Amino acid sequence: MYCTRKVSEEVIWIGASDRRLALFENLFPIPRGVAYNSYLIKDEKTAVLDTVDSSVSRQFFENIQHELGDRPLDYLIVNHMEPDHCANIAELLLRYPDMKIVGNAKTFTMIGQFYGVDLKDQAVVVKEGDSLSLGKHKLSFYFAPMVHWPEVMVSYEETEKILFSADAFGSFGALNGNIFNDELDFDRDWLDDARRYYGNIVGKYGPQVQTALKKLSGLDIAVICPLHGPVWRSDLGYLLEKYDLWSRYEPEEKSVAILYASMYGDTENAANVLAAGLAEKGVKNIAVHDVSGTHVSELIGEVFRCSHLVLAAPTYNNGIYPAMLNFLHDCRALNLQNRTVGLIENGTWGPVAAKQMKEILDSLKNMNVLEPVVTVKSALNDASLEQLDALADAVAASLAE
Ligand code: FEO
């Protein structure tokens, strides 16, 4: 049975949610599921903006069938060619063989690569700023290369001031009937997943996101329709501000997250003692995460949120404990920068974890490593406790700046 919602009288949400998938991209846990948004404009001409993942194809086609009835589908606009949005292009062509497909030159290269279809005169190749009239509605296309794939573009509908933003402004999380931001508690239920989605999927491409934001700042936008997560029809400044911060790698909050790895509990003990010491010094809302038991995508989300980090890890195979090393590799891959970091290492003999963690941090932009670096030899003792207290002073002082 169809399951659609009206964005307006003539713009219909025809997407669907998947609550079965465990790992998005076979990589990121999504316990709250994920939504694949698709939109239909019903004017003199009809247009679908992006399709959906193959897991929800049946719902998608029931939605289109219901909304179009006997009308033809005139256009498919392809803003993004990642298969979670383009998986139904070939099937849509079978059902609507006269449909034209609108994309840019890179779009059509990818359609050929993925689906081996020869579109001949069905392809409408657009350039930056080109427009397409559907009647009352008029779509203009703006390229957003590497946000986060090279072919990405966004479509702006000027009559209703709707931005169809591709993956930008998206989030993990299934839509539970309430598809609009003003129908749900975004700060409470969505912000962490939106940040985790941005940081892990788009985070590497901050400069490209900044370029896109500047380009879009000239448009009068009333509604943002992303390909994942809620549709935004109010409080757009809130969302744009988050994207501006995240894409400049500026923290959302002056706060500290302690990320620790611990084999037998001694490094964990140091993390807990530090957290308690920070609390005694007046630091609030301290976050503590075990890197072995917390998915790295959540740790990356915390880096995007917090101004300060403390990394605590044992020495392992004469290097950094693997779970912490994996996290640091991700930080480097995602171009993370502009954070203040404290370091704690443990080593029963030959501790080298702090030196090697610092080397990775020094390879990132504008990472300020605090002194002192704390060295624990097996378990905290009076000497390392003193170092830990000095680190707590340094973190608290830096947070207060
Ligand atoms: Fe949601 Fe880049 O695909």
Side-chain angles (χ1 to χ4, degrees), residues 255-277:
S255 60
V256 59
I258 301 171
L259 314 183
Y260 74 87
S262 189
M263 297 161 66
Y264 300 105
D266 291 299
T267 314
E268 180 181 20
N269 176 238
N272 284 327
V273 171
L274 176 73

Side-chain angles (χ1 to χ4, degrees), residues 238-291:
Y238 166 96
L239 183 65
L240 290 164
E241 186 188 336
K242 296 288 184 204
Y243 257 68
D244 182 48
L245 284 175
W246 294 338
S247 57
R248 287 188 291 112
Y249 302 98
E250 292 295 333
E252 265 175 271
E253 298 173 7
K254 261 205 164 182
S255 60
V256 59
I258 301 171
L259 314 183
Y260 74 87
S262 189
M263 297 161 66
Y264 300 105
D266 291 299
T267 314
E268 180 181 20
N269 176 238
N272 284 327
V273 171
L274 176 73
L278 286 169
E280 287 290 331
K281 294 175 199 304
V283 177
K284 293 182 177 166
N285 300 316
I286 301 161
V288 178
H289 301 283
D290 176 353
V291 301

Side-chain angles (χ1 to χ4, degrees), residues 176-195:
N176 302 322
N178 299 126
I179 72 163
F180 298 104
N181 71 300
D182 55 19
E183 296 178 333
L184 43 84
D185 190 333
F186 190 84
D187 249 10
R188 186 190 68 190
D189 298 330
W190 285 83
L191 179 57
D192 285 348
D193 260 343
R195 186 190 304 111

Side-chain angles (χ1 to χ4, degrees), residues 24-25 36 80 82-85 148-149 152 167 197 201 227-228:
F24 185 78
E25 294 184 358
Y36 304 107
H80 184 23
E82 195 158 7
D84 55 332
H85 309 294
H148 58 138
W149 276 32
V152 170
D167 274 339
Y197 175 85
I201 307 287
L227 289 176
H228 302 285

